[in-house]
Amino acid sequence: MSEFARTDDPDTSWAAAAKAARASGKAVAAVLALMHDGVARTDQEIRAACRPEYVVSLSTIQHGRLALSESDILLDTGERRPTEDGMLSRVWVKAVK
């Protein structure tokens, strides 16, 4: 069973699930490649920096960043920066290992 579709879902859901899985893997790779430079960024800043080579939604980038932060590859710096709409956003940095 896929994490994106249930076994009893129609074939269209399975096709969408396959596409989502590919996008998620690409997002993880894009975020990780970017964050190797050691620059601390918000999700919006990560998306803006990835856009020239990897045009994608903020939500997809957030899923990639989430996977990396849950694996302790990216860490919350404790800093907060305002987003485009004025809300505060966490700032992430690659863990030094």
Side-chain angles (χ1 to χ4, degrees), residues 46 58 81 97:
I46 293 169
L58 178 59
R81 292 184 193 157
K97 295 199 179 199

Side-chain angles (χ1 to χ4, degrees), residues 8-96:
D8 59 344
D9 280 344
D11 61 337
T12 53
S13 293
W14 280 92
K19 184 176 180 180
R22 286 191 301 276
S24 182
K26 287 180 182 178
V28 169
V31 172
L32 183 58
L34 173 69
M35 297 302 285
H36 270 298
D37 65 7
V39 175
R41 296 177 176 92
T42 65
D43 287 345
Q44 285 185 349
E45 292 166 342
I46 293 169
R47 179 177 184 253
C50 286
R51 264 188 96 78
E53 295 179 27
Y54 183 65
V55 178
V56 69
S57 71
L58 178 59
S59 177
T60 301
I61 288 294
Q62 288 170 324
H63 282 91
R65 191 265 311 140
L66 177 63
L68 294 168
S69 62
E70 287 178 343
S71 301
D72 294 325
I73 296 170
L74 295 183
L75 303 174
D76 181 348
T77 66
E79 180 185 355
R80 303 295 183 259
R81 292 184 193 157
T83 61
E84 294 168 358
D85 62 1
M87 300 297 295
L88 292 180
S89 179
R90 292 178 180 182
V91 178
W92 303 94
V93 70
K94 186 176 180 298
V96 178

